[in-house]
Amino acid sequence: MQIELVKGVDLKVLSTKKFKTVSIRINFKTLIDANEITKRALLANLLSTNSQHYPTQTDYRTALSKLYGAQLSSDVSKVGKYHVLTLDLDIVDEMYLNEKGLFEKATEFLKSILFYPNVYDGAFHKETFQRELENLRDEYEAVYEDKQEYAGIETSRLYFDTLEQQIPSWGRPEDLTGLSPRDLYVVYQDMILNDKIDIVVLGDLEEERVKKAFADFNFEARTVNNESLFYSIGEVKDLTRKKEIQPITQAKLNLAYKTTIYYHQDHYYAGQVFNGLFGGFPHSNLFTILREQEGLAYDIASGIDSFNGVLYVQSGIEPSEAIKVEKLVAEQLNSIQEGTFSEEAIIQTKALLKNALVQSEDHAESLIEKYYSFNLIGKPMISLEEWADRIDAVSKQDIINIAKTVELKAIFLLSGE
Protein backbone atom coordinates (compact mmCIF):
# COMPACT_ATOMS: atom_id res chain seq x y z
CA MET A 1 0.00 0.00 0.00
CA GLN A 2 1.23 3.49 -0.84
CA ILE A 3 1.58 5.85 2.15
CA GLU A 4 0.87 9.56 1.74
CA LEU A 5 3.29 11.47 3.98
CA VAL A 6 1.73 14.78 2.91
CA LYS A 7 -0.22 15.69 -0.21
CA GLY A 8 2.03 15.09 -3.22
CA VAL A 9 4.66 13.12 -1.27
CA ASP A 10 4.18 9.35 -1.26
CA LEU A 11 6.11 6.47 0.29
CA LYS A 12 6.11 2.87 -0.91
CA VAL A 13 7.75 -0.08 0.84
CA LEU A 14 8.63 -3.07 -1.34
CA SER A 15 9.31 -5.78 1.24
CA THR A 16 11.60 -8.59 0.12
CA LYS A 17 14.20 -10.91 1.61
CA LYS A 18 15.86 -11.46 -1.77
CA PHE A 19 18.73 -9.01 -1.34
CA LYS A 20 21.44 -8.36 1.24
CA THR A 21 20.96 -4.64 0.80
CA VAL A 22 18.29 -2.02 1.38
CA SER A 23 17.68 0.39 -1.50
CA ILE A 24 16.18 3.86 -1.00
CA ARG A 25 15.11 5.93 -3.99
CA ILE A 26 13.63 9.43 -3.93
CA ASN A 27 12.13 10.67 -7.21
CA PHE A 28 11.34 14.35 -7.83
CA LYS A 29 8.99 14.71 -10.81
CA THR A 30 7.87 17.82 -12.67
CA LEU A 31 6.62 18.72 -16.15
CA ILE A 32 9.53 19.28 -18.51
CA ASP A 33 10.55 22.92 -18.87
CA ALA A 34 13.22 23.52 -21.52
CA ASN A 35 14.71 26.31 -19.41
CA GLU A 36 15.11 24.07 -16.34
CA ILE A 37 16.47 20.76 -17.72
CA THR A 38 20.16 21.68 -17.54
CA LYS A 39 19.77 23.36 -14.16
CA ARG A 40 18.17 20.25 -12.67
CA ALA A 41 20.97 18.09 -14.06
CA LEU A 42 23.53 20.33 -12.37
CA LEU A 43 21.46 20.32 -9.17
CA ALA A 44 21.48 16.51 -9.12
CA ASN A 45 25.28 16.56 -9.25
CA LEU A 46 25.53 19.14 -6.46
CA LEU A 47 23.22 17.23 -4.12
CA SER A 48 25.38 14.11 -4.39
CA THR A 49 28.64 15.99 -3.81
CA ASN A 50 28.43 17.75 -0.43
CA SER A 51 26.11 19.58 1.96
CA GLN A 52 26.22 21.98 4.90
CA HIS A 53 26.79 19.10 7.32
CA TYR A 54 29.36 17.50 5.01
CA PRO A 55 30.96 20.50 3.27
CA THR A 56 33.80 18.66 1.53
CA GLN A 57 33.85 15.56 -0.63
CA THR A 58 36.05 13.93 2.01
CA ASP A 59 33.39 14.61 4.66
CA TYR A 60 30.80 13.11 2.33
CA ARG A 61 32.81 9.96 1.71
CA THR A 62 33.53 9.60 5.43
CA ALA A 63 29.82 9.80 6.25
CA LEU A 64 29.04 7.11 3.67
CA SER A 65 31.90 4.98 4.99
CA LYS A 66 30.39 5.14 8.49
CA LEU A 67 27.21 3.74 6.93
CA TYR A 68 29.26 0.64 6.07
CA GLY A 69 30.15 1.74 2.59
CA ALA A 70 26.73 3.02 1.56
CA GLN A 71 26.45 4.02 -2.09
CA LEU A 72 24.85 7.37 -2.97
CA SER A 73 24.11 8.40 -6.54
CA SER A 74 21.97 10.91 -8.39
CA ASP A 75 20.56 11.04 -11.89
CA VAL A 76 18.06 12.80 -14.13
CA SER A 77 15.75 11.28 -16.71
CA LYS A 78 12.88 12.18 -19.01
CA VAL A 79 9.76 10.07 -18.77
CA GLY A 80 7.25 11.17 -21.37
CA LYS A 81 6.22 14.74 -20.53
CA TYR A 82 8.04 14.76 -17.19
CA HIS A 83 11.57 15.35 -15.93
CA VAL A 84 12.64 13.22 -12.96
CA LEU A 85 15.55 13.90 -10.61
CA THR A 86 16.52 10.80 -8.64
CA LEU A 87 18.55 10.22 -5.49
CA ASP A 88 19.57 6.62 -4.70
CA LEU A 89 21.08 5.34 -1.47
CA ASP A 90 21.99 1.67 -1.08
CA ILE A 91 23.01 0.28 2.31
CA VAL A 92 23.81 -3.14 3.74
CA ASP A 93 20.91 -4.97 5.37
CA GLU A 94 21.73 -4.60 9.05
CA MET A 95 20.89 -8.25 9.76
CA TYR A 96 24.38 -8.96 8.39
CA LEU A 97 25.96 -6.48 10.84
CA ASN A 98 26.44 -6.24 14.57
CA GLU A 99 25.09 -2.70 14.56
CA LYS A 100 21.38 -1.96 14.59
CA GLY A 101 19.56 1.16 13.41
CA LEU A 102 21.55 1.52 10.19
CA PHE A 103 18.41 2.26 8.18
CA GLU A 104 17.52 5.17 10.47
CA LYS A 105 21.05 6.56 10.21
CA ALA A 106 20.84 6.31 6.43
CA THR A 107 17.57 8.22 6.29
CA GLU A 108 19.03 10.89 8.60
CA PHE A 109 21.90 11.26 6.14
CA LEU A 110 19.42 11.65 3.26
CA LYS A 111 17.46 14.22 5.23
CA SER A 112 20.58 16.26 5.90
CA ILE A 113 21.61 16.46 2.25
CA LEU A 114 18.07 17.19 1.06
CA PHE A 115 17.14 19.88 3.56
CA TYR A 116 20.61 21.27 4.29
CA PRO A 117 22.38 21.62 0.94
CA ASN A 118 25.66 23.52 0.74
CA VAL A 119 23.89 26.89 0.57
CA TYR A 120 24.78 30.21 2.18
CA ASP A 121 22.90 33.51 1.87
CA GLY A 122 20.53 32.13 -0.73
CA ALA A 123 23.18 30.68 -3.05
CA PHE A 124 25.03 27.39 -3.45
CA HIS A 125 28.65 27.26 -2.26
CA LYS A 126 30.53 29.06 -5.04
CA GLU A 127 33.54 26.73 -5.36
CA THR A 128 31.41 23.58 -5.32
CA PHE A 129 29.02 25.10 -7.85
CA GLN A 130 31.85 26.04 -10.22
CA ARG A 131 33.53 22.65 -9.93
CA GLU A 132 30.34 20.73 -10.71
CA LEU A 133 29.48 23.10 -13.54
CA GLU A 134 32.83 22.34 -15.17
CA ASN A 135 32.34 18.62 -14.54
CA LEU A 136 29.02 18.82 -16.35
CA ARG A 137 30.71 20.59 -19.27
CA ASP A 138 33.16 17.69 -19.41
CA GLU A 139 30.24 15.23 -19.46
CA TYR A 140 28.74 17.06 -22.44
CA GLU A 141 32.10 16.87 -24.21
CA ALA A 142 32.24 13.11 -23.50
CA VAL A 143 28.81 12.72 -25.11
CA TYR A 144 30.10 14.44 -28.24
CA GLU A 145 33.04 12.04 -28.37
CA ASP A 146 30.70 9.02 -28.07
CA LYS A 147 29.47 9.09 -31.65
CA GLN A 148 26.58 6.67 -31.20
CA GLU A 149 25.31 8.68 -28.22
CA TYR A 150 25.73 11.87 -30.21
CA ALA A 151 23.86 10.42 -33.19
CA GLY A 152 21.05 9.34 -30.87
CA ILE A 153 20.67 12.87 -29.52
CA GLU A 154 20.64 14.37 -33.01
CA THR A 155 18.03 11.83 -34.13
CA SER A 156 15.78 12.86 -31.25
CA ARG A 157 16.20 16.51 -32.21
CA LEU A 158 15.02 15.68 -35.70
CA TYR A 159 12.13 13.52 -34.54
CA PHE A 160 10.53 15.59 -31.78
CA ASP A 161 8.48 18.70 -32.43
CA THR A 162 9.02 20.56 -29.14
CA LEU A 163 12.19 21.94 -27.56
CA GLU A 164 11.35 20.20 -24.27
CA GLN A 165 11.57 16.81 -25.95
CA GLN A 166 14.52 17.67 -28.17
CA ILE A 167 16.84 18.53 -25.25
CA PRO A 168 18.39 15.45 -23.55
CA SER A 169 17.48 14.74 -19.93
CA TRP A 170 20.93 15.95 -18.80
CA GLY A 171 20.63 19.27 -20.65
CA ARG A 172 22.98 21.05 -23.03
CA PRO A 173 26.21 23.06 -22.63
CA GLU A 174 24.89 26.41 -23.86
CA ASP A 175 22.47 26.56 -20.91
CA LEU A 176 25.37 26.66 -18.45
CA THR A 177 26.50 30.07 -19.68
CA GLY A 178 25.53 32.77 -17.22
CA LEU A 179 24.11 30.32 -14.68
CA SER A 180 24.84 31.43 -11.10
CA PRO A 181 24.84 29.69 -7.68
CA ARG A 182 21.83 31.84 -6.75
CA ASP A 183 19.92 30.74 -9.86
CA LEU A 184 20.45 27.11 -8.92
CA TYR A 185 19.21 27.65 -5.38
CA VAL A 186 15.93 28.94 -6.82
CA VAL A 187 15.65 25.70 -8.82
CA TYR A 188 16.36 23.66 -5.67
CA GLN A 189 13.65 25.48 -3.72
CA ASP A 190 11.12 24.95 -6.48
CA MET A 191 11.93 21.22 -6.56
CA ILE A 192 11.64 20.76 -2.80
CA LEU A 193 8.40 22.73 -2.57
CA ASN A 194 6.56 21.81 -5.75
CA ASP A 195 7.76 18.55 -7.35
CA LYS A 196 5.71 15.38 -7.00
CA ILE A 197 7.85 13.20 -4.72
CA ASP A 198 7.85 9.41 -4.61
CA ILE A 199 10.00 7.58 -2.08
CA VAL A 200 10.53 3.87 -2.69
CA VAL A 201 12.26 1.59 -0.18
CA LEU A 202 13.11 -1.98 -1.15
CA GLY A 203 14.42 -4.51 1.35
CA ASP A 204 13.66 -6.67 4.37
CA LEU A 205 11.97 -3.94 6.40
CA GLU A 206 8.59 -3.54 8.05
CA GLU A 207 6.36 -0.82 6.67
CA GLU A 208 5.83 0.89 10.02
CA ARG A 209 9.55 1.21 10.62
CA VAL A 210 10.08 2.84 7.22
CA LYS A 211 7.12 5.15 7.70
CA LYS A 212 8.46 6.27 11.08
CA ALA A 213 11.91 7.00 9.62
CA PHE A 214 10.45 9.31 6.98
CA ALA A 215 7.76 10.88 9.17
CA ASP A 216 9.95 13.85 10.14
CA PHE A 217 11.08 14.70 6.61
CA ASN A 218 9.63 18.19 6.51
CA PHE A 219 8.15 18.13 3.04
CA GLU A 220 5.26 20.55 2.57
CA ALA A 221 2.02 19.61 0.85
CA ARG A 222 1.94 20.46 -2.82
CA THR A 223 -0.44 20.42 -5.78
CA VAL A 224 -0.06 17.34 -7.95
CA ASN A 225 -0.09 17.77 -11.72
CA ASN A 226 -2.24 15.06 -13.29
CA GLU A 227 -1.39 15.74 -16.93
CA SER A 228 -1.02 12.58 -18.98
CA LEU A 229 2.46 11.08 -18.88
CA PHE A 230 2.67 9.93 -22.49
CA TYR A 231 3.95 12.14 -25.28
CA SER A 232 3.27 11.87 -29.01
CA ILE A 233 4.44 14.07 -31.86
CA GLY A 234 1.81 15.83 -33.95
CA GLU A 235 0.04 14.02 -36.77
CA VAL A 236 1.32 16.47 -39.39
CA LYS A 237 5.00 15.88 -38.57
CA ASP A 238 6.76 15.11 -41.85
CA LEU A 239 9.80 12.91 -42.41
CA THR A 240 12.98 14.88 -41.67
CA ARG A 241 16.47 13.96 -42.76
CA LYS A 242 19.91 15.27 -41.81
CA LYS A 243 23.48 14.33 -42.66
CA GLU A 244 26.47 15.54 -40.66
CA ILE A 245 30.13 15.14 -41.54
CA GLN A 246 32.81 14.54 -38.91
CA PRO A 247 36.31 13.02 -39.12
CA ILE A 248 35.20 9.46 -38.33
CA THR A 249 35.71 6.11 -40.05
CA GLN A 250 32.51 4.32 -38.97
CA ALA A 251 29.25 6.05 -39.90
CA LYS A 252 26.19 6.09 -37.65
CA LEU A 253 22.81 5.74 -39.34
CA ASN A 254 19.88 6.26 -36.97
CA LEU A 255 16.17 6.16 -37.73
CA ALA A 256 13.17 7.14 -35.59
CA TYR A 257 9.63 5.86 -36.12
CA LYS A 258 6.36 7.02 -34.64
CA THR A 259 4.37 4.18 -33.02
CA THR A 260 1.32 3.57 -30.85
CA ILE A 261 3.39 1.43 -28.44
CA TYR A 262 3.07 2.88 -24.93
CA TYR A 263 3.99 1.38 -21.57
CA HIS A 264 1.43 -1.31 -20.65
CA GLN A 265 -1.24 0.22 -22.87
CA ASP A 266 -3.29 -1.65 -25.48
CA HIS A 267 -0.50 -2.27 -28.02
CA TYR A 268 2.42 -2.63 -25.59
CA TYR A 269 2.84 -6.40 -25.57
CA ALA A 270 2.40 -6.82 -29.32
CA GLY A 271 4.88 -3.96 -29.72
CA GLN A 272 7.47 -5.73 -27.59
CA VAL A 273 7.21 -8.91 -29.66
CA PHE A 274 7.32 -6.89 -32.90
CA ASN A 275 10.48 -5.09 -31.76
CA GLY A 276 12.08 -8.41 -30.81
CA LEU A 277 11.46 -9.70 -34.34
CA PHE A 278 12.51 -6.45 -36.03
CA GLY A 279 15.78 -5.58 -34.29
CA GLY A 280 15.64 -6.20 -30.55
CA PHE A 281 17.39 -9.59 -30.35
CA PRO A 282 20.24 -11.49 -32.07
CA HIS A 283 17.74 -13.53 -34.10
CA SER A 284 15.92 -10.40 -35.34
CA ASN A 285 15.66 -9.37 -38.99
CA LEU A 286 18.01 -6.40 -38.72
CA PHE A 287 20.75 -8.39 -37.01
CA THR A 288 20.60 -11.58 -39.04
CA ILE A 289 20.12 -10.02 -42.47
CA LEU A 290 21.99 -6.70 -42.39
CA ARG A 291 24.83 -7.75 -40.11
CA GLU A 292 25.29 -11.48 -40.56
CA GLN A 293 23.93 -12.18 -44.05
CA GLU A 294 24.81 -8.99 -45.92
CA GLY A 295 27.72 -7.86 -43.73
CA LEU A 296 26.56 -4.23 -43.95
CA ALA A 297 26.60 -3.29 -40.27
CA TYR A 298 29.18 -3.49 -37.51
CA ASP A 299 26.24 -3.30 -35.14
CA ILE A 300 22.52 -2.69 -35.56
CA ALA A 301 19.55 -2.86 -33.21
CA SER A 302 16.13 -1.40 -32.52
CA GLY A 303 14.53 -0.28 -29.27
CA ILE A 304 11.34 1.38 -28.05
CA ASP A 305 10.85 4.44 -25.86
CA SER A 306 7.42 3.42 -24.60
CA PHE A 307 6.74 6.73 -22.83
CA ASN A 308 7.13 8.73 -26.05
CA GLY A 309 5.91 6.12 -28.52
CA VAL A 310 9.18 6.10 -30.48
CA LEU A 311 10.95 3.18 -32.14
CA TYR A 312 14.66 3.81 -32.71
CA VAL A 313 17.05 1.96 -35.02
CA GLN A 314 20.76 2.55 -34.40
CA SER A 315 23.55 1.22 -36.59
CA GLY A 316 27.27 1.47 -37.19
CA ILE A 317 28.11 1.09 -40.88
CA GLU A 318 30.56 1.92 -43.64
CA PRO A 319 29.80 5.47 -44.90
CA SER A 320 29.43 4.23 -48.49
CA GLU A 321 26.67 1.76 -47.50
CA ALA A 322 24.20 4.23 -45.99
CA ILE A 323 21.70 4.20 -48.86
CA LYS A 324 21.74 0.42 -49.09
CA VAL A 325 21.34 -0.03 -45.31
CA GLU A 326 18.43 2.41 -45.20
CA LYS A 327 16.71 0.50 -48.01
CA LEU A 328 17.23 -2.88 -46.33
CA VAL A 329 15.92 -1.62 -42.98
CA ALA A 330 12.75 -0.52 -44.77
CA GLU A 331 12.49 -3.95 -46.38
CA GLN A 332 12.74 -5.71 -43.01
CA LEU A 333 9.94 -3.59 -41.58
CA ASN A 334 7.87 -4.29 -44.68
CA SER A 335 8.45 -8.04 -44.36
CA ILE A 336 6.98 -8.01 -40.85
CA GLN A 337 4.06 -5.87 -42.02
CA GLU A 338 3.38 -8.56 -44.65
CA GLY A 339 3.67 -11.38 -42.11
CA THR A 340 6.86 -12.87 -43.55
CA PHE A 341 8.08 -14.42 -40.30
CA SER A 342 7.72 -17.87 -38.79
CA GLU A 343 5.89 -19.18 -35.76
CA GLU A 344 9.27 -20.40 -34.48
CA ALA A 345 10.59 -16.83 -34.56
CA ILE A 346 7.58 -15.67 -32.53
CA ILE A 347 8.11 -18.42 -29.95
CA GLN A 348 11.81 -17.57 -29.66
CA THR A 349 11.09 -13.85 -29.26
CA LYS A 350 8.49 -14.45 -26.55
CA ALA A 351 10.88 -16.77 -24.71
CA LEU A 352 13.62 -14.13 -24.71
CA LEU A 353 11.21 -11.42 -23.51
CA LYS A 354 10.02 -13.61 -20.65
CA ASN A 355 13.58 -14.59 -19.76
CA ALA A 356 14.51 -10.91 -19.52
CA LEU A 357 11.57 -10.40 -17.16
CA VAL A 358 12.74 -13.21 -14.91
CA GLN A 359 16.30 -11.89 -14.88
CA SER A 360 15.10 -8.39 -13.96
CA GLU A 361 13.71 -9.81 -10.72
CA ASP A 362 17.30 -10.41 -9.58
CA HIS A 363 18.14 -6.70 -9.54
CA ALA A 364 16.84 -4.29 -6.91
CA GLU A 365 17.05 -1.34 -9.29
CA SER A 366 14.86 -3.11 -11.86
CA LEU A 367 12.19 -3.86 -9.26
CA ILE A 368 12.11 -0.24 -8.11
CA GLU A 369 11.92 1.02 -11.70
CA LYS A 370 9.12 -1.42 -12.46
CA TYR A 371 7.07 -0.20 -9.49
CA TYR A 372 7.71 3.48 -10.28
CA SER A 373 6.84 3.06 -13.96
CA PHE A 374 3.46 1.57 -13.08
CA ASN A 375 2.99 4.33 -10.52
CA LEU A 376 3.66 6.94 -13.20
CA ILE A 377 0.97 5.56 -15.51
CA GLY A 378 -1.51 5.22 -12.65
CA LYS A 379 -1.90 1.45 -12.84
CA PRO A 380 -1.35 -1.24 -10.20
CA MET A 381 1.82 -3.26 -10.77
CA ILE A 382 1.12 -6.62 -12.38
CA SER A 383 2.81 -9.88 -11.44
CA LEU A 384 5.55 -11.53 -13.46
CA GLU A 385 3.11 -14.32 -14.37
CA GLU A 386 0.47 -11.93 -15.68
CA TRP A 387 3.07 -10.02 -17.68
CA ALA A 388 4.30 -13.28 -19.24
CA ASP A 389 0.72 -14.36 -19.99
CA ARG A 390 0.08 -11.10 -21.86
CA ILE A 391 3.20 -11.68 -23.96
CA ASP A 392 2.07 -15.23 -24.72
CA ALA A 393 -1.36 -13.95 -25.77
CA VAL A 394 0.11 -11.90 -28.63
CA SER A 395 -0.87 -13.41 -31.98
CA LYS A 396 0.84 -13.19 -35.36
CA GLN A 397 -1.92 -10.90 -36.57
CA ASP A 398 -1.37 -8.61 -33.56
CA ILE A 399 2.29 -8.27 -34.60
CA ILE A 400 1.37 -7.53 -38.21
CA ASN A 401 -1.21 -4.95 -37.13
CA ILE A 402 1.19 -3.04 -34.87
CA ALA A 403 3.95 -3.18 -37.52
CA LYS A 404 1.61 -1.52 -40.02
CA THR A 405 1.19 1.50 -37.72
CA VAL A 406 4.93 2.22 -37.53
CA GLU A 407 5.85 5.40 -39.46
CA LEU A 408 9.37 6.59 -40.29
CA LYS A 409 9.74 10.23 -39.20
CA ALA A 410 13.47 11.00 -38.85
CA ILE A 411 16.74 9.82 -40.42
CA PHE A 412 20.13 11.01 -39.16
CA LEU A 413 23.43 10.04 -40.75
CA LEU A 414 26.73 10.88 -39.08
CA SER A 415 29.41 10.15 -41.65
CA GLY A 416 33.05 10.68 -42.52
CA GLU A 417 34.26 12.69 -45.51
Side-chain angles (χ1 to χ4, degrees):
M1 183 180 71
Q2 189 168 275
I3 302 164
E4 185 180 70
L5 299 177
V6 296
K7 185 180 178 182
V9 181
D10 295 318
L11 170 65
K12 176 66 177 180
V13 182
L14 301 175
S15 295
T16 177
K17 298 180 183 293
K18 182 177 289 188
F19 306 104
K20 294 182 179 180
T21 57
V22 172
S23 299
I24 306 169
R25 174 170 293 185
I26 305 180
N27 290 312
F28 296 86
K29 183 191 78 170
T30 187
L31 280 172
I32 298 174
D33 181 338
N35 296 317
E36 302 297 309
I37 295 172
T38 305
K39 297 173 187 176
R40 285 170 64 90
L42 180 57
L43 176 60
N45 289 355
L46 279 167
L47 290 177
S48 61
T49 300
N50 59 26
S51 68
Q52 281 190 23
H53 295 163
Y54 311 102
T56 70
Q57 289 180 306
T58 300
D59 294 332
Y60 225 63
R61 288 193 294 268
T62 300
L64 290 169
S65 178
K66 289 180 179 179
L67 295 173
Y68 294 88
Q71 299 292 316
L72 177 75
S73 62
S74 61
D75 201 3
V76 286
S77 59
K78 287 166 65 177
V79 188
K81 297 177 184 176
Y82 291 88
H83 195 257
V84 181
L85 187 154
T86 300
L87 283 176
D88 282 302
L89 183 64
D90 295 316
I91 60 172
V92 178
D93 188 327
E94 64 186 37
M95 72 172 290
Y96 299 101
L97 306 171
N98 292 325
E99 183 176 344
K100 301 302 178 185
L102 181 62
F103 176 71
E104 285 73 16
K105 292 177 182 178
T107 55
E108 280 297 315
F109 174 76
L110 276 175
K111 184 167 68 173
S112 73
I113 66 173
L114 273 177
F115 293 102
Y116 298 93
N118 203 0
V119 170
Y120 302 90
D121 298 324
F124 273 94
H125 180 249
K126 185 176 179 180
E127 286 75 15
T128 300
F129 172 87
Q130 194 60 41
R131 182 183 68 238
E132 293 306 317
L133 185 144
E134 294 304 323
N135 287 343
L136 192 54
R137 284 193 194 279
D138 291 342
E139 290 178 29
Y140 292 143
E141 183 64 29
V143 168
Y144 178 81
E145 294 303 323
D146 184 336
K147 298 309 177 184
Q148 190 58 270
E149 185 79 34
Y150 175 80
I153 293 170
E154 291 302 309
T155 306
S156 293
R157 284 180 179 168
L158 281 181
Y159 175 84
F160 286 111
D161 52 3
T162 67
L163 186 59
E164 283 75 15
Q165 293 297 335
Q166 291 169 351
I167 299 174
S169 63
W170 55 88
R172 52 188 183 173
E174 55 264 38
D175 292 336
L176 294 175
T177 303
L179 187 59
S180 73
R182 194 170 297 279
D183 294 333
L184 203 64
Y185 182 58
V186 173
V187 176
Y188 159 80
Q189 287 180 307
D190 183 62
M191 182 190 80
I192 287 291
L193 292 174
N194 299 315
D195 276 23
K196 171 68 174 71
I197 300 175
D198 286 280
I199 304 167
V200 186
V201 178
L202 183 143
D204 187 12
L205 292 169
E206 294 180 356
E207 189 176 273
E208 279 304 312
R209 181 182 176 186
V210 177
K211 181 180 178 181
K212 183 178 179 181
F214 282 98
D216 62 347
F217 275 54
N218 297 317
F219 291 119
E220 296 182 14
R222 71 271 328 273
T223 302
V224 177
N225 190 310
N226 292 317
E227 185 168 335
S228 171
L229 172 77
F230 300 123
Y231 182 86
S232 176
I233 59 172
E235 294 295 330
V236 297
K237 180 78 165 59
D238 294 326
L239 172 65
T240 53
R241 180 189 295 270
K242 180 181 178 183
K243 179 179 180 180
E244 184 173 332
I245 302 298
Q246 291 186 16
I248 57 175
T249 56
Q250 185 186 124
K252 306 296 180 184
L253 176 65
N254 284 19
L255 303 95
Y257 302 77
K258 181 180 180 181
T259 79
T260 57
I261 304 166
Y262 288 92
Y263 193 72
H264 289 277
Q265 305 303 299
D266 292 343
H267 304 139
Y268 178 73
Y269 308 97
Q272 293 298 305
V273 181
F274 155 72
N275 179 61
L277 290 167
F278 182 49
F281 291 120
H283 73 280
S284 65
N285 286 14
L286 295 183
F287 192 88
T288 57
I289 294 177
L290 275 85
R291 187 178 187 275
E292 295 186 341
Q293 183 176 308
E294 299 292 333
L296 291 173
Y298 298 106
D299 57 80
I300 187 165
S302 66
I304 299 171
D305 175 351
S306 58
F307 294 105
N308 285 311
V310 192
L311 170 73
Y312 291 104
V313 172
Q314 295 186 327
S315 66
I317 62 173
E318 285 292 329
S320 60
E321 302 289 4
I323 295 174
K324 189 173 182 180
V325 169
E326 185 182 321
K327 179 183 176 183
L328 279 175
V329 170
E331 288 178 4
Q332 302 323 303
L333 175 59
N334 187 62
S335 72
I336 296 178
Q337 291 171 338
E338 293 179 350
T340 312
F341 53 93
S342 67
E343 191 63 34
E344 288 75 19
I346 298 174
I347 293 170
Q348 185 177 3
T349 301
K350 290 180 177 180
L352 288 169
L353 286 169
K354 290 184 289 184
N355 185 57
L357 280 178
V358 172
Q359 290 182 347
S360 72
E361 295 287 299
D362 294 330
H363 303 279
E365 181 179 359
S366 295
L367 292 175
I368 292 174
E369 288 179 354
K370 177 183 173 184
Y371 164 75
Y372 187 54
S373 295
F374 274 97
N375 179 270
L376 286 170
I377 64 173
K379 289 189 174 184
M381 187 164 60
I382 62 175
S383 68
L384 206 64
E385 293 74 19
E386 185 176 353
W387 197 325
D389 288 344
R390 294 183 183 184
I391 291 172
D392 281 332
V394 173
S395 68
K396 183 171 185 176
Q397 191 59 50
D398 291 333
I399 300 166
I400 293 169
N401 290 344
I402 196 65
K404 287 180 177 179
T405 68
V406 173
E407 299 177 73
L408 181 60
K409 292 293 184 180
I411 304 170
F412 178 75
L413 174 64
L414 178 64
S415 185
E417 292 290 351

